[in-house]
Amino acid sequence: MNPNLESDLLRTLVAIAETRNFTRASEVVGRTQSAVSIQMKKLEDIVGDRLFERGPRGVTLTSPGERLVRDARRILSLLDQAAVSLQSEPLDGFVRIGIPEEYGGTILPRVLARFSKLHPQVEVTVRCAPTSELNAELDKGELDLVVVHEEAARVGGEILLNDPVVWVTSDRHFQHECVPMPVALCNRGCWWRDWAIASLDQQQKDYRIAYVSGSTFGLQAAVSSGMAVAVLAQSQIPPDCRELTAEEGFPNLQGTNIVLRQRTQNKCSTKTGMAQAVREAFQAPAHSQIAC
């Protein structure tokens, strides 16, 4: 007789595999830790094998556990698609979306995962570029909707997130203590660059422009490597780096928002569906792995 692999047991198994921690997994699936332990004992009894090993770095999967998790992900994906198809009509056609490159590895996968699960027949084109380019392409009709940075004092789109712009330095290199202080700036024409220079002049900082980049990744690299301090969105501070404070002589810069802009012309259900996927991706908490 084939074992009865209940979907709730498989969801808990996947949560443990992703968090490597029974406590964190219990939060993900909305159960108590003891209930999760009971579920996994039941699942091990069903499959007739051990699925986990506990170690100093948390919970790890055994070989049978790894095989079952691979199958569980496929099963749960199909179940989720079936549930979604019962709730809404799938869309077709195409949609063109633009998003800053710094969200390409975090927010964008969540957008695409949500949208493609709901509407697998839609052709999606993605453009990752700076805000100025995305706004220009939206205005020319080359993109249908964009996620962009916008000054907090200006409301030109639907606000998704407040993401302050701050001064950032390396915890290992202390560039902010150098005289003159090396600074990494955006290319000319960027309002972050204007904010940075105005702030430095107002504080009468002795500085030199050490690095110029048109990308956030470039500015992050300059800070992490010890080349310079930089102005970055608070959510984009690299590992081993930190925000500089007003007490250190770096007062708060002007606020900035992440906004969603859409073309009003040729609006359709497909583009509306993508806009909703974007909203949900920014509302969802970023998943982080926690070990015991």
Side-chain angles (χ1 to χ4, degrees):
M1 182 175 178
N2 292 328
N4 181 18
L5 296 175
E6 301 170 17
S7 62
D8 284 351
L9 300 182
L10 297 180
R11 288 190 191 280
T12 301
L13 171 68
V14 171
I16 294 171
E18 292 178 348
T19 62
R20 299 182 181 276
N21 182 286
F22 271 59
T23 302
R24 175 57 179 155
S26 69
E27 297 170 359
V28 172
V29 299
R31 295 177 180 271
T32 64
Q33 184 176 347
S34 60
V36 165
S37 297
I38 292 170
Q39 279 190 309
M40 292 303 95
K41 177 62 169 62
K42 179 180 179 180
L43 186 58
E44 287 182 328
D45 289 343
I46 291 172
V47 300
D49 217 331
R50 292 184 64 187
L51 301 176
F52 307 100
E53 298 282 357
R54 291 183 182 270
R57 296 187 177 181
V59 177
T60 58
L61 294 168
T62 62
S63 294
E66 289 177 352
R67 292 196 299 272
L68 184 56
V69 164
R70 286 195 294 269
D71 291 336
R73 287 194 172 106
R74 289 196 295 269
I75 292 166
L76 294 173
S77 177
L78 290 172
L79 288 173
D80 290 342
Q81 289 180 37
V84 166
S85 67
L86 294 173
Q87 297 172 7
S88 60
E89 286 295 323
L91 304 173
D92 56 15
F94 67 93
V95 61
R96 302 163 299 175
I97 178 175
I99 192 167
E101 62 181 6
E102 58 264 34
Y103 297 108
T106 53
I107 295 294
L108 183 58
R110 297 210 293 263
V111 173
L112 298 179
R114 169 69 177 168
F115 188 80
S116 63
K117 187 178 292 185
L118 285 166
H119 312 297
Q121 301 304 315
V122 175
E123 176 186 330
V124 180
T125 300
V126 177
R127 169 97 161 100
C128 291
T131 286
S132 58
E133 294 181 22
L134 296 177
N135 276 328
E137 291 173 24
L138 179 76
D139 294 339
K140 289 189 292 186
E142 296 172 359
L143 294 171
D144 300 306
L145 63 158
V146 295
V147 174
V148 293
H149 294 280
E150 185 178 87
E151 297 177 62
R154 175 190 172 203
V155 181
E158 175 187 342
I159 297 175
L160 299 170
L161 177 72
N162 177 261
D163 199 3
V165 175
V166 297
W167 283 102
V168 179
T169 189
S170 167
D171 274 334
R172 294 185 296 165
H173 301 289
F174 306 102
Q175 308 99 318
H176 62 288
E177 296 180 356
C178 297
V179 180
M181 183 179 69
V183 178
L185 297 175
C186 302
N187 289 333
R188 294 184 184 278
C190 173
W191 36 276
W192 284 15
R193 178 191 177 103
D194 296 338
W195 286 359
I197 292 175
S199 174
L200 292 169
D201 290 342
Q202 185 176 9
Q203 298 300 311
Q204 297 183 334
K205 293 279 188 186
D206 185 3
Y207 71 93
R208 64 181 179 86
I209 298 176
Y211 182 91
V212 177
S213 176
S215 76
T216 296
F217 292 147
L219 297 177
Q220 289 173 322
V223 178
S224 296
S225 66
M227 179 175 284
V229 301
V231 166
L232 291 167
Q234 198 172 56
S235 67
Q236 302 302 319
I237 297 176
D240 298 321
C241 297
R242 67 174 179 87
E243 176 182 342
L244 288 162
T245 65
E247 289 73 22
E248 296 172 285
F250 294 86
N252 294 335
L253 298 168
Q254 299 180 52
T256 185
N257 292 322
I258 307 301
V259 303
L260 173 65
R261 293 188 61 212
Q262 303 181 64
R263 283 182 59 80
T264 55
Q265 303 94 326
N266 303 321
K267 205 167 183 180
C268 66
S269 299
T270 300
K271 298 174 180 62
T272 300
M274 176 60 80
Q276 183 58 28
V278 169
R279 293 185 193 99
E280 292 175 0
F282 273 92
Q283 291 167 1
H287 177 73
S288 59
Q289 292 202 359
I290 301 175
C292 292

